[in-house]
Amino acid sequence: MQGGASVRLYGLEWPKESARISRVFDLLVAAILFLAVSGAFHLHYMLTAGDWDMWIDWKDRQWWVTLTPIMAITFPAALQYVFWTKFRLPIAATFAVVCLLFGQWINRYFGFYLWSYFPMSEVIPALLIPGALVLDLALLLTGNFLFTAMSGAFAFALLFYPANWFWLAPYRLPVEVMGQLVSVGDYISYAFTRTALPEYIRLIERGTLRTFGGHSAIIASFFSAFVSILMYLAWWHIGMLLARVVTTPNTLKNFMGLTDKDEPAETAQKAIDRTSLQGRFVASE
Amino acid sequence: MRTFCFRKSSCARVILSAAAAIMQIGILTFVPDAALAHGERNQEPFLRMRTAHFYDVKWSANDIPVNGEIVVTGKFRLFPIWPVNLPLPEAAFLGNGTPGPVLARTESYINGVPAIQSTKLELNRDYEFKTVLKGRVPGYHHVHPMINVMGAGPLLGPGNWLSVTGNESDFKLPIKTLSGETIDNLETWGLGRVFFWHGLWVAIAIVWLVWWLRRPLLLPRFRALTEEGGDRSQLVTSTDRLFGAGLLVATILIVFFGFQATDTAYPRTVPLQGSRATVEPLPEVPEQVKVVVNKSNYDVPGRSLRMNVTLTNNGSTSAQLGEFLTSNQRFINHEVSQAMATVDPNYPKELLPPNGLKVSDSRPLKPGETKTVDIEAADAAWETERLSSLINDPDNTLGGLLFFYDEHGKRTISNVSGPMVPVFTDPDNRTAENPKGGAG
């Protein structure tokens, strides 16, 4: 190391200039990651939770409550593996759902409100931040992914319905329309029509959950919480797999006559035989 | 030099491509009015010919202000020779084909039953519909009645152009709730609460993220974890844990008390309503004229559909063939005054082929009489409406309704359906050089 001022960061000596560049790198990566996760998580979420999270008259007490946390815990779990094991940062879930919310509001405002004329009251996204905070805090306080799954992932789903009830309740007020009882949310989506998404496509509390005490949101939340534990574990491991640096040997270099100095050049036929037989992947941590 | 030229041309290509891309994005962003109709012509002919046939459709106005009302009324029949590849209409919904929610639907009925929910419909039966729409977004809009059928998709009725004038910001859709709240406008209802709670949680999330982001983040932390000498205890300190524990408690308390407060503020709520409506079809009217298709051809170069049909009048009054309706195209027999009288001057001209319907014998069919006639519906609409692509369909069967009138103008409707054989060459061998045809 050359002479000059240095700083200690987490017990290690850093030249001041390196530390400064590292900080710039932090900000660049954070900005890029924010946009990348916004796009990727939003795409994943639209393809899985999709209409349930899109429309005010799809957010029922059963399917919306069940599906949304299960589909939303995926990216937070995968990112938690990377953020926690590589950097000891307990912010992955919060970061992921803030990115998702950012993508959703951009999509709803520009795509649905300005471009397609839907009122904002019809296309409000769900709020996942309280559950994500608890997921991150569970990892911080337990430091263990299994305990995080059992407590944090469980709470992630369990908090979903009550945390969304804050803003959802006004859309569940009863109104009478043409002599029929409907909720305000039903009427909003009836009035501001989706030409290609008719009423019968919705799944409104289909199933027998209502036979258990009427309010299916509670049972749906617990069911979702149990499945979220499994989803969390699965996606934590997907994060682990995706975080591995995978390389393939450049077998084409043999055809170009490019070989390592200590390696004898091999014939083209030998190279073909070798690549077709092996085709291997070399993984390193 | 060559290299320089190559680079120069590549550079110019890149600049031109970028400029074209920016222009395209600009056009798409700032000229959204370019898309006007709904791709109804893109629907396969079998869908338009053999599912829902709309008739007697009326639009109460052609020009309304923002907040003004237009009422669309009419009838539809679900064709009995329903395509085998489509599910039966076990669940159907009365929609309106408009370019998005440019109009707000305030009421809709099928046979007088509110159509806010979906319903089951029956084949070979007629239904009356009514939809009340309110002007919302100024512009020139194409407005169709529409039936959505589960598994079959949207089945569009005839479309008419409607002009909405005024200012979009003047739009209001008020309603009073059963629990006593007055909603001034459903477009903006509840948004204050949404923004507050979303904003609050985003603010809390940002506090949590900044708590960690304020410190050296990636490489220093990674090195501290992986290299000897790194102090892991500094990565997550006891202060962090204390702050985290406090935030955990705060999060749970906010959710708990927020939920309680919301429940107190809105004690009477109802879940989303997802039942099915029950709609009885209109009383069944026996088919007065039995129609048997002996042969039908579609003349590709002549753009005309020709049918040889045998008609049997089983009624007690005479019957005169006045109209052939298929795919929202009304081929009117100009020789039948009762049929001509049914054409509303407000009806879209593009749905009334000017040549109308030619019938080899338009004389009234007497009660009990059986007669074989040739019918010809010739018009460019077969091509422009993309109906001629029926010849590419694996289920090459046409369908439509024939309207018969008695001497008093009373109408009866018969279904007409049969396999269609295309004629690709002109039988008279007519060409531009030899307009009279024949051997020349």
Side-chain angles (χ1 to χ4, degrees):
Chain A
M1 193 180 290
Q2 290 181 353
S6 64
V7 288
R8 288 190 76 78
L9 299 176
Y10 308 117
L12 293 173
E13 200 79 22
W14 282 70
K16 252 191 171 167
E17 183 60 11
S18 299
R20 193 189 65 79
I21 292 171
S22 157
R23 194 64 185 145
V24 173
F25 180 73
D26 285 347
L27 297 175
L28 282 174
V29 170
I32 293 167
L33 203 61
F34 183 80
L35 294 175
V37 173
S38 294
F41 195 10
H42 187 242
L43 180 65
H44 158 89
Y45 194 61
M46 286 301 99
L47 291 173
T48 52
D51 288 315
W52 272 283
D53 199 59
M54 190 78 73
W55 309 105
I56 196 70
D57 66 330
W58 276 64
K59 293 177 168 58
D60 73 332
R61 301 180 303 183
Q62 184 177 325
W63 292 102
W64 177 58
V65 175
T66 305
L67 278 174
T68 311
I70 293 171
M71 293 305 153
I73 203 166
T74 51
F75 270 56
L79 287 177
Q80 269 198 347
Y81 169 81
V82 182
F83 278 43
W84 183 253
T85 59
K86 306 295 182 194
F87 307 106
R88 276 294 179 277
L89 281 171
I91 56 170
T94 310
F95 178 74
V97 298
V98 167
C99 289
L100 174 65
L101 203 61
F102 171 76
Q104 285 179 312
W105 275 107
I106 293 282
N107 168 262
R108 307 296 158 88
Y109 182 73
F110 290 101
F112 283 79
Y113 176 65
L114 289 185
W115 182 275
S116 309
Y117 311 123
F118 287 103
M120 286 306 295
S121 59
E122 192 175 354
V123 292
I124 304 158
L127 196 52
L128 293 157
I129 291 173
L133 279 168
V134 172
L135 192 61
D136 276 341
L137 294 166
L139 185 61
L140 170 72
L141 296 175
T142 65
N144 181 294
F145 88 101
L146 197 60
F147 289 141
T148 304
M150 289 191 296
S151 57
F154 197 79
F156 182 83
L158 220 52
L159 287 176
F160 177 73
Y161 187 75
N164 279 280
W165 188 243
F166 305 149
W167 65 266
L168 188 63
Y171 299 100
R172 296 294 175 261
L173 293 174
V175 288
E176 186 182 343
V177 177
M178 295 178 280
Q180 311 270 307
L181 169 72
V182 290
S183 71
V184 169
D186 283 308
Y187 188 51
I188 286 176
S189 289
Y190 169 79
F192 305 105
T193 50
R194 302 175 296 244
T195 50
L197 201 65
E199 189 279 329
Y200 55 72
I201 299 283
R202 303 184 306 157
L203 282 175
I204 304 302
E205 301 197 32
R206 300 250 182 97
T208 54
L209 272 188
R210 276 179 294 158
T211 56
F212 297 100
H215 205 303
S216 46
I218 298 166
I219 298 167
S221 293
F222 273 97
F223 176 70
S224 181
F226 282 116
V227 180
S228 291
I229 292 174
L230 302 176
M231 282 295 274
Y232 179 86
L233 294 173
W235 278 79
W236 173 279
H237 283 89
I238 288 173
M240 184 191 290
L241 283 174
L242 295 179
R244 296 172 81 184
V245 179
V246 178
T247 60
T248 56
N250 182 7
T251 50
L252 289 177
K253 69 183 181 183
N254 293 298
F255 295 107
M256 308 293 286
L258 301 171
T259 53
D260 294 337
K261 282 177 186 170
D262 51 348
E263 261 181 43
E266 59 183 347
T267 62
Q269 187 54 50
K270 273 185 181 172
I272 291 166
D273 293 344
R274 188 166 64 77
T275 51
S276 61
L277 284 172
Q278 292 176 343
R280 66 181 188 275
F281 285 85
V282 178
S284 62
E285 287 295 325
Chain B
M1 188 63 191
R2 280 184 70 183
T3 311
F4 173 72
C5 291
F6 169 74
R7 282 179 183 165
K8 200 173 167 187
S9 66
S10 297
C11 190
R13 205 176 297 161
V14 169
I15 291 169
L16 279 173
S17 302
I22 290 167
M23 276 176 64
Q24 202 165 358
I25 292 167
I27 289 166
L28 287 171
T29 310
F30 300 110
V31 194
D33 296 337
L36 296 168
H38 320 106
E40 56 265 33
R41 288 174 187 165
N42 204 35
Q43 284 198 322
E44 285 302 309
F46 80 89
L47 266 176
R48 289 183 279 163
M49 285 183 165
R50 288 165 47 205
T51 52
H53 288 297
F54 287 80
Y55 58 96
D56 294 349
V57 179
K58 287 188 174 62
W59 296 261
S60 66
N62 289 103
D63 192 341
I64 56 168
V66 167
N67 291 317
E69 273 189 358
I70 174 174
V71 182
V72 185
T73 54
K75 292 177 183 164
F76 63 88
R77 171 177 291 190
L78 295 182
F79 203 60
I81 320 296
W82 191 261
V84 289
N85 54 325
L86 296 185
L88 294 173
E90 294 293 326
F93 183 69
L94 175 64
N96 48 286
T98 51
V102 293
L103 303 159
R105 174 175 49 197
T106 53
E107 291 173 56
S108 59
Y109 304 90
I110 302 177
N111 286 355
V113 177
I116 196 164
Q117 307 291 2
S118 305
T119 184
K120 181 183 175 179
L121 300 176
E122 292 179 37
L123 297 188
N124 204 23
R125 299 302 294 268
D126 297 80
Y127 296 88
E128 200 165 31
F129 70 88
K130 176 186 173 186
T131 305
V132 182
L133 304 165
K134 192 172 175 179
R136 180 171 170 246
V137 178
Y140 195 47
H141 309 307
H142 208 208
V143 180
H144 301 251
M146 182 171 74
I147 288 288
N148 294 87
V149 173
M150 189 183 272
L155 308 173
L156 281 162
N160 203 0
W161 291 99
L162 169 73
S163 182
V164 177
T165 52
N167 195 341
E168 189 181 345
S169 59
D170 294 336
F171 177 80
K172 292 265 183 301
L173 187 57
I175 196 166
K176 197 168 165 58
T177 69
L178 291 174
S179 46
E181 291 88 351
T182 301
I183 297 173
D184 292 331
N185 188 5
L186 282 172
E187 270 193 332
T188 51
W189 168 248
L191 288 182
R193 208 173 167 86
V194 170
F195 295 145
F196 172 78
W197 283 105
H198 274 68
L200 175 72
W201 283 110
V202 167
I204 294 171
I206 287 171
V207 167
W208 177 240
L209 293 175
V210 169
W211 177 267
W212 295 91
L213 295 179
R214 69 202 161 96
R215 285 176 265 176
L217 205 61
L218 298 173
L219 292 176
R221 297 182 76 92
F222 183 74
R223 279 190 64 197
L225 270 174
T226 53
E227 289 181 19
E228 209 170 306
D231 185 0
R232 294 184 177 196
S233 67
Q234 287 184 36
L235 295 176
V236 178
T237 64
S238 53
T239 313
D240 292 333
R241 288 198 173 86
L242 199 64
F243 179 65
L247 188 58
L248 180 66
V249 173
T251 300
I252 291 168
L253 287 178
I254 292 172
V255 172
F256 181 77
F257 287 110
F259 183 79
Q260 293 290 332
T262 308
D263 248 6
T264 310
Y266 300 100
R268 287 199 176 87
T269 56
V270 291
L272 291 174
Q273 300 298 300
S275 64
R276 290 277 157 88
T278 305
V279 177
E280 292 295 326
L282 291 176
E284 196 165 9
V285 179
E287 205 172 63
Q288 182 180 343
V289 180
K290 172 82 178 163
V291 181
V292 175
V293 178
N294 303 314
K295 188 175 184 186
S296 69
N297 290 114
Y298 176 66
D299 178 358
V300 178
R303 295 173 170 181
S304 82
L305 178 76
R306 298 190 199 106
M307 284 188 282
N308 179 269
V309 294
T310 299
L311 310 174
T312 304
N313 186 353
N314 296 319
S316 56
T317 57
S318 65
Q320 205 172 6
L321 176 54
E323 181 179 339
F324 171 50
L325 169 74
T326 186
S327 310
N328 296 319
Q329 295 291 319
R330 296 179 64 187
F331 294 90
I332 310 280
N333 185 350
H334 295 191
E335 293 177 24
V336 180
S337 56
Q338 294 95 327
M340 293 298 286
T342 63
V343 180
D344 185 342
N346 191 28
Y347 201 80
K349 297 287 177 289
E350 65 271 22
L351 301 178
L352 290 164
N355 293 333
L357 187 70
K358 306 277 188 239
V359 183
S360 61
D361 183 357
S362 278
R363 286 174 300 172
L365 196 64
K366 296 188 185 94
E369 185 184 357
T370 297
K371 188 160 64 176
T372 299
V373 296
D374 290 314
I375 298 171
E376 183 179 13
D379 199 88
W382 292 105
E383 291 297 323
T384 57
E385 294 289 324
R386 301 176 68 173
L387 292 166
S388 56
S389 64
L390 184 66
I391 58 181
N392 298 319
D393 200 287
D395 183 5
N396 191 6
T397 306
L398 62 86
L401 303 181
L402 289 178
F403 293 180
F404 294 89
Y405 296 87
D406 69 9
E407 59 270 31
H408 307 295
K410 190 185 168 204
R411 184 183 66 187
T412 58
I413 304 173
S414 299
N415 301 314
V416 58
S417 178
M420 187 272 286
V421 178
V423 176
F424 294 110
T425 54
D426 190 332
D428 297 327
N429 200 25
R430 284 173 294 195
T431 62
E433 293 77 28
N434 180 21
K436 289 185 177 174

